Amino acid sequence: MAQIYFHCTSTEGLMIGHCGAAVGDLAEAKDQATLLMRSLIMEPGEEDWRSWVLHASDDLGEEIFALPFAAMLGKPH
């Protein structure tokens, strides 16, 4: 079991997650990241998440992977 921390960046801002999530493997970490991305996208507001990227890091601060929100949202019509 590993502790993974997520934070999101864009050219306009930074959101740092301090709690993290306990995961058993990389697939579970990516599933947790996807859930977090979906929850942020679904929050009421006018934020365009396409320029944001979710970063996943281990407890030493080493980045494990990064997922762009644009990959989930697609291009605007």
Side-chain angles (χ1 to χ4, degrees):
M1 195 67 61
Q3 192 75 6
I4 303 295
Y5 297 90
F6 301 110
H7 67 276
C8 300
T9 61
S10 78
T11 56
E12 294 119 25
L14 169 69
M15 295 186 335
I16 298 175
H18 297 285
C19 297
V23 297
D25 57 25
L26 184 59
E28 189 176 353
K30 288 186 176 180
D31 288 345
Q32 289 291 321
T34 300
L35 289 173
L36 176 58
M37 291 169 74
R38 284 189 180 136
S39 71
L40 290 170
I41 291 166
M42 297 303 293
E43 283 185 6
E46 296 183 23
E47 185 67 51
D48 182 0
W49 290 99
R50 285 177 185 84
S51 67
W52 288 80
V53 176
L54 181 136
H55 303 268
S57 302
D58 63 16
D59 55 352
L60 299 175
E62 294 293 320
E63 185 169 284
I64 300 168
F65 61 84
L67 298 173
F69 279 74
M72 182 176 286
L73 290 168
K75 295 180 181 180
H77 292 57

